[in-house]
Amino acid sequence: MAGKQVPVSPLAPKRLAELPPIAGVKLATAEAGIRYTGRTDVLLVTLAQGTTVAGVFTRSKCPSAAVDWCRDNLGSGTARALVVNSGNANAFTGLKGRASVKLTAEIAARAAGCKTDEVFLASTGVIGEPLDASKFDGVLQDCLKRAAPEPWHEAARAIMTTDTFPKVATATATIGGVPVTINGMAKGAGMIQPDMATMLSFIFTDAPIAAPVLQGLLKRGADKSFNCITVDGDTSTSDTLMLFATGEAAKRGCPAITETGDRRLAGFRKALDGLLLDLAQQVARDGEGARKLVQVSVSGAVSAASARRVAFSIANSPLVKTAVAGEDANWGRVVMAVGKAGEPAERDRLAIRFGNIRVAVDGERDPAYDEAATTAYMKRSEIEIGVDLGLGTGRATVWTCDLTKAYVEINGDYRS
Amino acid sequence: MAGKQVPVSPLAPKRLAELPPIAGVKLATAEAGIRYTGRTDVLLVTLAQGTTVAGVFTRSKCPSAAVDWCRDNLGSGTARALVVNSGNANAFTGLKGRASVKLTAEIAARAAGCKTDEVFLASTGVIGEPLDASKFDGVLQDCLKRAAPEPWHEAARAIMTTDTFPKVATATATIGGVPVTINGMAKGAGMIQPDMATMLSFIFTDAPIAAPVLQGLLKRGADKSFNCITVDGDTSTSDTLMLFATGEAAKRGCPAITETGDRRLAGFRKALDGLLLDLAQQVARDGEGARKLVQVSVSGAVSAASARRVAFSIANSPLVKTAVAGEDANWGRVVMAVGKAGEPAERDRLAIRFGNIRVAVDGERDPAYDEAATTAYMKRSEIEIGVDLGLGTGRATVWTCDLTKAYVEINGDYRS
């Protein structure tokens, strides 16, 4: 990526959503020269006093130093600053990595006038290179001076690595009749099969919601969004999804929510879930080398968990993904991927469709199979692969992209 | 593949092994016009009366009709004929598929003068297309007339699909002081992560070994060979590995082996295991688009099964495989793949090497890391990635190949 101009994914949203300010949130970006030159690579977000926080992180056994740091500090439930850098993941950097996150938090805490355990950190980029946190000194202090409520697009750009477009989304909801706003950003294009969260995604709201409630909302929302996408089946060491709630809407009469079961959360939950799914799909749309977005819908499984495993078996199959890239309605490879998933399946009950075109039923090719119509469908930029296992009521939907030569090219020389 | 000339894999063995005749085995190939034109696509092997048989097959929940047929007929333990076709997998073909294997077996049984349940079948090629077995009529009778002990290379060629070279191997051993021969062939280049066996592999020996003993030998051998390779993590619907023992060596004084624990089997077992591993590695060497053979060696795991899962997590990672294709010593991606495997691992005990060059130790980059030496190593055509988890004594070794643009190209238009 560094220096090389990669064309924007053809699956990018037609226009970047405009994000309104969120009371209590200010942002600034800078060029710290971590790895890239001529582009921003640091984001500082400051958060009003009383901001609550929730986070879900990678299940990798080799998490980054920043993930360890965030997990350790999530207990207090409060946040005052978020520092994100691109260009270096600070993962697998041993004691140096731990020293680096500590120094970064100290610099940010001094600048923001808060405690170090109220500073949250995320890093993305190359794994295994020590991150020189002294590069943040001066830079973060300067960011603090410039921090403002507006630069959401700049923030989303500063955290990109191989992404070809910034990923943002906004939503509104009411709590107790008072409107609140949710803004979010995400980055990620490769090493994407989040297993708790995605590469990096940060969500902000002015709603006054207690940290434990926030955590429940985020966990459930992630399971239906970021945990339903894959680019290459590779799970990052740095997956981080955080939700910050400044509570500033309380000043406008918004009731404080302290119980998970509070019915007044219904609208907020729905808006949050929609925003998370939007961002997650944007990540799949920017899958490295992607030319097609693929929705895999599995029904008729013995359980939702089983449906999900079958769906991921299809979505991660290199043979299915290359067939989609080649615009080849090769449904035999879908059969293969169902068969290898290890989940209950009966060949002779299986039905497969591409979009609304049923191609296979009762364990063999649909008697009405229309090759020309199917081939025409495969030329679309958004493809749905539907599988019905015919066994039960379990269903799941996941999203992925095709596997093109560009993926190989991008990843054959990302580091060097 | 059909019609297109693909260059031979640079990882192909320098020369094709010469296979001696095996008493009781005769082979013939023909052009049945299943899918390809201008090349052979059918193999008939006739087997002497008294031939015992063992087989291991795909664990896919959507196995091919031929796999179902072989499983059903393995019980008798005897075989008189093997019919293999390329160009059509006869998988996911429903009742038509069952009728097709039955008709094929009937034609072969009539020609060979044996019972249909002594005929074993295998098909490889496109999934989901009905296979017109009437094309075998006349062809198999003609094969029977021409069958001879010599054409092993022709046989290995007739069963190829996207393979760029035929895969054969031969070995000798003694049982009770009497020399016996083992010949084998295999095909497979994509849809390769065998889960019991490989795409297709057939082994023949003149040793007199009872079917249950043969089955034990084959099962254990497969676990250490074909079940240790992956090209793309995709498990075929047609994986079939069969071992036929004509017993003709008994005429030369070879003792009949009827007990699994028979000590006289030691040499045979070793020779068989070596031959299976040789064939399995040839499949990895012919991985679609492969330019590099990769051996992944994991040690220090809590168990052998755990080591194996970590090894496959590395060997199936698109990011590790594209890095190898790009000759990039991107060991951070190895860390990622260890981390996502879901197996016990401690970041700070992990050590990684490329060949004999240690690149990471104790959870961070090796202080003595030599980028130039590592980069030079990555230019080799055979790469070893070594991972020590530092937890226990479990170890495993698996083989794979790199992921190149050619893989995407081959699979973007294989069917059409």
Side-chain angles (χ1 to χ4, degrees), chain B residues 142-183:
Chain B
D142 179 62
C143 278
L144 191 87
K145 283 182 208 148
R146 292 185 288 105
E150 297 83 17
W152 291 95
H153 292 178
E154 290 77 1
R157 275 184 214 283
I159 65 174
M160 286 165 50
T161 52
T162 57
D163 305 64
T164 72
F165 61 87
K167 297 161 190 72
V168 294
T170 184
T172 55
T174 59
I175 297 181
V178 179
V180 297
T181 304
I182 315 173
N183 281 357

Side-chain angles (χ1 to χ4, degrees), chain A residues 396-413:
Chain A
T397 303
V398 307
W399 291 268
T400 188
C401 55
D402 55 343
L403 172 57
T404 67
K405 288 185 206 172
Y407 178 90
V408 177
E409 190 166 281
I410 291 164
N411 287 301
D413 57 13

Side-chain angles (χ1 to χ4, degrees), chain A residues 12-18 168 282:
Chain A
K14 294 287 165 274
R15 51 179 291 283
L16 218 53
E18 289 298 329
V168 294
Q282 287 192 51

Side-chain angles (χ1 to χ4, degrees), chain B residues 33-116:
Chain B
I34 303 294
R35 179 179 186 86
Y36 309 121
T37 51
R39 58 155 281 187
T40 56
D41 55 5
V42 179
L43 164 66
L44 172 72
V45 184
T46 64
L47 301 154
Q49 197 142 16
T51 295
T52 56
V53 58
V56 291
F57 303 93
T58 183
R59 276 190 191 144
S60 170
K61 299 293 171 100
C62 300
S64 70
V67 164
D68 281 350
W69 175 269
C70 289
R71 274 210 183 95
D72 287 347
N73 291 312
L74 207 58
S76 74
T78 62
R80 293 300 306 282
L82 168 69
V83 180
V84 188
N85 75 273
S86 53
N88 186 316
N90 195 15
F92 212 69
T93 44
L95 285 174
K96 289 188 200 74
R98 285 182 275 270
S100 176
V101 291
K102 190 158 173 286
L103 179 57
T104 308
E106 282 166 0
I107 296 169
R110 257 201 316 274
C114 66
K115 293 185 289 181
T116 53

Side-chain angles (χ1 to χ4, degrees), chain B residues 54 209-224 243 257 260 265-266 268-270 272-273 276:
Chain B
I209 301 177
V213 181
L214 215 54
Q215 184 67 30
L217 285 169
L218 189 64
K219 169 81 180 67
R220 286 183 45 179
D223 282 343
K224 292 182 285 182
L243 168 57
I257 305 293
T260 300
L265 268 182
F268 184 88
R269 180 182 289 119
K270 193 173 164 198
L272 177 66
D273 286 353
L276 290 170

Side-chain angles (χ1 to χ4, degrees), chain A residues 297-301 310 314 331-340 343-353 358-367 386-391, chain B residues 60-63 91-94 127 237:
Chain A
S297 310
V298 173
S299 59
V310 172
I314 298 165
W331 56 270
R333 294 182 183 170
V334 178
V335 174
M336 177 282 299
V338 172
K340 78 163 182 167
E343 291 299 312
E346 278 181 40
R347 182 182 52 202
D348 299 342
R349 288 180 173 218
L350 199 57
I352 300 171
R353 62 185 166 80
R358 194 172 69 176
V359 294
V361 64
D362 298 336
E364 61 185 308
R365 190 165 66 189
D366 193 316
V387 169
D388 190 276
L389 298 173
L391 298 176
Chain B
S60 170
K61 299 293 171 100
C62 300
F92 212 69
T93 44
I127 295 171
T237 53

Side-chain angles (χ1 to χ4, degrees), chain A residues 59-65 68 92-96 98 127-130 190-191 232-237 288 313 316-320 322-323 325-333 335-336 338-340 342-348 350 352 360-365 369 371 375 403-405 407-416, chain B residues 59-65 68 92-96 98 127-130 190-191 232-237 288 313 316-320 322-323 325-333 335-336 338-340 342-348 350 352 360-365 369 371 375 403-405 407-416:
Chain A
R59 275 189 190 145
S60 170
K61 300 292 171 103
C62 300
S64 71
D68 280 351
F92 212 69
T93 44
L95 286 173
K96 288 188 200 77
R98 285 181 275 270
I127 295 171
E129 300 270 344
M191 205 176 279
D232 46 21
D234 275 349
T235 302
S236 162
T237 54
E288 286 167 343
S313 180
N316 277 324
S317 160
L319 289 171
V320 171
T322 49
E327 302 187 333
D328 176 11
N330 195 324
W331 56 270
R333 294 182 183 170
V335 174
M336 177 282 299
V338 172
K340 78 163 182 167
E343 291 299 312
E346 278 181 40
R347 182 182 52 202
D348 299 342
L350 199 57
I352 300 171
V361 64
D362 298 336
E364 61 185 308
R365 190 165 66 189
Y369 178 73
E371 175 95 20
T375 300
L403 172 57
T404 67
K405 288 185 206 172
Y407 178 90
V408 177
E409 190 166 281
I410 291 164
N411 287 301
D413 57 13
Y414 170 55
R415 201 187 62 131
S416 39
Chain B
R59 276 190 191 144
S60 170
K61 299 293 171 100
C62 300
S64 70
D68 281 350
F92 212 69
T93 44
L95 285 174
K96 289 188 200 74
R98 285 182 275 270
I127 295 171
E129 299 270 346
M191 206 176 279
D232 46 23
D234 275 348
T235 301
S236 161
T237 53
E288 287 168 342
S313 180
N316 277 324
S317 160
L319 289 170
V320 170
T322 49
E327 304 189 332
D328 176 11
N330 195 325
W331 57 269
R333 294 182 183 172
V335 173
M336 177 281 299
V338 171
K340 79 163 181 166
E343 291 299 312
E346 279 181 39
R347 182 181 53 202
D348 299 343
L350 199 57
I352 298 171
V361 64
D362 297 339
E364 62 185 310
R365 191 166 65 191
Y369 177 72
E371 175 95 20
T375 300
L403 173 57
T404 68
K405 286 184 209 173
Y407 177 89
V408 177
E409 192 165 280
I410 291 164
N411 287 300
D413 56 14
Y414 168 55
R415 202 188 60 133
S416 39

